Amino acid sequence: MPDDFTLNCWPNNINCFAWSQDGDLAVAGGEHVELLTPKFHPFVQIKTTDTLWHNVHIRINSFTLQEQPTLKPASFREWSIGEEISPITVVSLAWSYRGLSKQRRAVLGVLTSNLLLSIWESTSKPWLADGWRRTLVINHTLKAYFSTMLHTDKDKSFRRRVRIRAFVWGSTSHQHAVDSTSEFLAVCNDCDEIIILRVQLASSILLADQSPSAAVVAHFKASSVDDGVMNTPPLTFEEMMSHRAYRSTLSWSPWIRSESGESTSFLVYPSGSHIQVHKVSASHSNDSEPIKMAFDDPQSVELPMRDKAPISWLPTLSEDGTLRMVTFTQESVVCVTFHDDGETTISPLNLHSISDHWDMPSGVTFTDTSYPLVHFVFHLSTPRASQTTLSLLRHKEKEHECPEAGWRQQLRDKMAIYSAEHELRGNVKAKVYGITSSPFGYFTATCTSFHPGDQLEYTIPIDQLCSVDISEARTMDDEAFEPPSEGWNSDVTVVSSEFLTFALKRWICRRHAWDDRVALAEALWAQLSNTVKPGPSSDFSRTRLPLDEAIAKHYTSASPDIETSPYNFVVPLRQELFDQIAQKRFRIGRLIDASVLSKEPALEDDIPVLRHLCRAVDKLLPLFTGDDELSHRLARIFGMLSIMVFSDAPMNGADPSTVPSEVVENCDICDAPVAFDDCRSAKCSHGHRFIRCQLTFMTIQAPGITKYCGVCGKPFITEEWVHKVVSESHAKRESANTSSSLPSLALLLLATCDVCLYCGGKFVR
């Protein structure tokens, strides 16, 4: 399959290139964001000439009056070119680390030149532009927050406080928490203040009545260091920009968990010839209380960073328990180690001299081999750089040789092709706008445009093209799909099923013919299943009750209607269905079958999952079979399903005389009874056929209420339809004064299984 993708744009900024945990690539293209989303063909053998990408073109410079109200002209001290007359182009973008959106999808933060920070999420089909929407503008939260502190009409700094100059998501490890409904976000405003926010979207059907929101958690002035440079007027542009009144770069490290249950991370930003480091502590006693955060006074470390130099953190701890950050000074590439043992120790180390590169570094990222490698690029001088890949172990006694990365060879090949096509005789300039790596460090991607090197270039927008090139960063031989190495969060189930399917399909297309697939699938399963670890894993130490204990707590609670929250059941039920080793290995096997064998599973292959689901539902039935008619229907359905999966009865109704059946539903067309004698489909007594939801096993009889797994293609009923039916039933119970605080069993199952129960894939409409 092709290793490159051509986009019809020139990125307007450097380091505007990001790869999400779902496998989606985002490129800032002026007034648009170009998204590359993995393309999946469930159970279809793809050819080496097929592309695995959808290209989505999202326009980000269009705001409604609610999103961007009309502003009155500002005074000279408050006036901002970006806010008032900007063409509204992308300044920076970044994916959230957790799945904040529905079905655990990552959301995209986009900062535009009008100083507005927007949160974009996928609502239905991520490969269509209409499937993305702007769901939140963070500036509105800042406006509401500062309105309570300042007199908006009198305080001249109010408008400056609402403008956002830089942002960063609160970093996490690759392992997602089971109840990841919120994410931390740090922003810097025009008054050089740093604001920490908690962003929460309506990611669950149980939060359907809650609108997307952000709340301020902390607010403090960015610390500055007076290093004496500005005692006299600035002599260079670099001196002036290094002392401007706001921070253009923020960086947040991964979290370090301690045995005491407290987690620690570091918030870093440049300050003149130093960097300021805030130690961030977070603790969480139980699920009913919010996470408590504390910010220590900043620690100053002398490190003269280049202006707007990119910063990247190694996503895992080193062997000695330290965090490592890589950035750029005027003279060298620097690795900064952070060690927290009660007292924070910060140690910069020069890795490689870059004094001969006058242009800006445009990106830095890490990949995983037998030891971590750091890759970095420059905007203009990458092709002639003596070294662009470094080992973080080179300062130890045993140095590791760093072979040339695959993306560097791809860059040279593209330059040669461009030279031949335009008869330039090798006079080609390459502008590299950024480099990023995929989850687990399997692949690297670069974004590059090519230009004549010995003449002026005249182009029109249709000719402005850039190339996104993907290369393998890991050593994957022809015999095995190499799993993540130890220390790089080696459990392959912590990344999305979409990305793992993409990685498997790409590896197969490049290395294997279309024969002997069974042996290959068995080898892959044996190798990847050994990496599975029990869950759940969270970024904070949290008290999580198993399902049995959660049910027992409800019965023993003095005030169950007050103390019992739906999430007291969602979290343990999600543990029960998703985080046990057997379930994780089953999902790996299902992904391998779809990617390698292109095999659609038989009904008997689903029996392990169905048995586990029936056991979990059986524990919940006494709680959720009150006056809710839908829950009563599910009780009858799962009663019949249990007879099927725990006995030798046929699963597909091959012999109706031996299949236990019971009328549990009626046909919406003719009102004839519909018996439960097949797990995948149903037929009424008059012959009308329907498919069944593969979670609730109710028949799907109405149009527009079906969603499908984007990886394995299984059908499921939509939570909106269930919510409507439950709401109508709840209204009737309220009128009869028989309402309950607990949600419907159907809603609980849909809220728990926000991804496919069988393969972990995300749903599409």
Side-chain angles (χ1 to χ4, degrees), residues 730-749:
H730 183 67
K732 293 179 182 179
R733 293 200 309 272
E734 279 188 339
S735 62
N737 295 322
T738 58
S739 61
S740 171
S741 63
L742 290 174
S744 164
L745 178 59
L747 280 180
L748 180 63
L749 287 176

Side-chain angles (χ1 to χ4, degrees), residues 64 313 393 442 680:
T64 64
W313 295 84
L393 303 180
Y442 276 135
R680 291 187 174 177

Side-chain angles (χ1 to χ4, degrees), residues 16-277:
C16 279
F17 190 36
W19 206 326
S20 77
Q21 296 296 311
D22 300 325
D24 300 329
L25 275 166
V27 183
E31 299 175 348
H32 298 81
V33 169
E34 300 286 346
L35 289 182
L36 297 178
T37 63
K39 183 186 297 183
F40 301 106
H41 307 272
F43 318 114
V44 175
Q45 293 184 352
I46 58 175
K47 302 177 181 178
T48 56
T49 55
D50 293 340
T51 179
L52 282 183
W53 297 100
H54 292 284
N55 182 207
V56 187
H57 194 67
I58 301 178
R59 184 178 179 181
I60 54 87
N61 65 341
S62 177
F63 291 84
T64 64
L65 287 177
Q66 289 75 22
E67 295 168 341
Q68 186 186 23
T70 303
L71 297 174
K72 296 180 180 180
S75 64
F76 178 77
R77 295 182 63 87
E78 286 189 290
W79 185 68
S80 168
I81 295 178
E83 184 181 59
E84 298 197 16
I85 61 174
S86 164
I88 311 182
T89 58
V90 182
V91 174
S92 63
L93 52 78
W95 293 99
S96 65
Y97 291 85
R98 296 173 186 251
L100 289 184
S101 185
K102 291 183 178 180
Q103 300 136 37
R104 310 183 200 178
R105 290 190 184 276
V107 299
L108 182 65
V110 180
L111 178 62
T112 45
S113 57
N114 59 346
L115 308 184
L116 295 182
L117 175 58
S118 305
I119 306 300
W120 289 77
E121 68 170 335
S122 172
T123 56
S124 56
K125 298 180 180 179
W127 58 84
L128 297 178
D130 293 341
W132 291 84
R133 68 174 182 180
R134 180 186 289 109
T135 190
L136 192 62
V137 179
I138 299 299
N139 302 68
H140 296 173
T141 303
L142 300 188
K143 184 176 181 179
Y145 173 72
F146 286 112
S147 295
T148 62
M149 303 172 56
L150 306 171
H151 296 289
T152 58
D153 296 332
K154 298 180 180 180
D155 197 301
K156 296 182 180 180
S157 65
F158 178 76
R159 283 179 65 165
R160 295 179 58 201
R161 289 173 182 265
V162 175
R163 299 169 186 155
I164 295 178
R165 291 287 184 171
F167 78 100
V168 62
W169 291 101
S171 301
T172 67
S173 65
H174 284 298
Q175 298 187 350
H176 294 263
V178 253
D179 57 344
S180 53
T181 59
S182 64
E183 180 68 78
F184 291 109
L185 180 71
V187 301
C188 181
N189 63 14
D190 220 4
C191 287
D192 203 22
E193 295 172 323
I194 294 177
I195 303 99
I196 311 298
L197 305 102
R198 182 201 302 272
V199 179
Q200 185 168 12
L201 306 183
S203 57
S204 170
I205 186 60
L206 298 179
L207 301 175
D209 298 330
Q210 176 180 323
S211 59
S213 63
V216 175
V217 176
H219 163 222
F220 51 87
K221 183 74 173 178
S223 179
S224 299
V225 175
D226 184 10
D227 49 19
V229 176
M230 292 298 290
N231 291 335
T232 59
L235 299 178
T236 65
F237 179 75
E238 285 285 341
E239 289 181 3
M240 182 179 69
M241 294 301 293
S242 64
H243 288 79
R244 58 179 172 266
Y246 59 85
R247 312 293 155 172
S248 59
T249 303
L250 292 174
S251 184
W252 201 330
S253 77
W255 293 91
I256 306 174
R257 298 189 191 91
S258 64
E259 296 180 356
S260 63
E262 187 178 73
S263 297
T264 302
S265 65
F266 301 96
L267 183 65
V268 179
Y269 52 87
S271 176
S273 60
H274 293 67
I275 59 171
Q276 301 294 325
V277 181

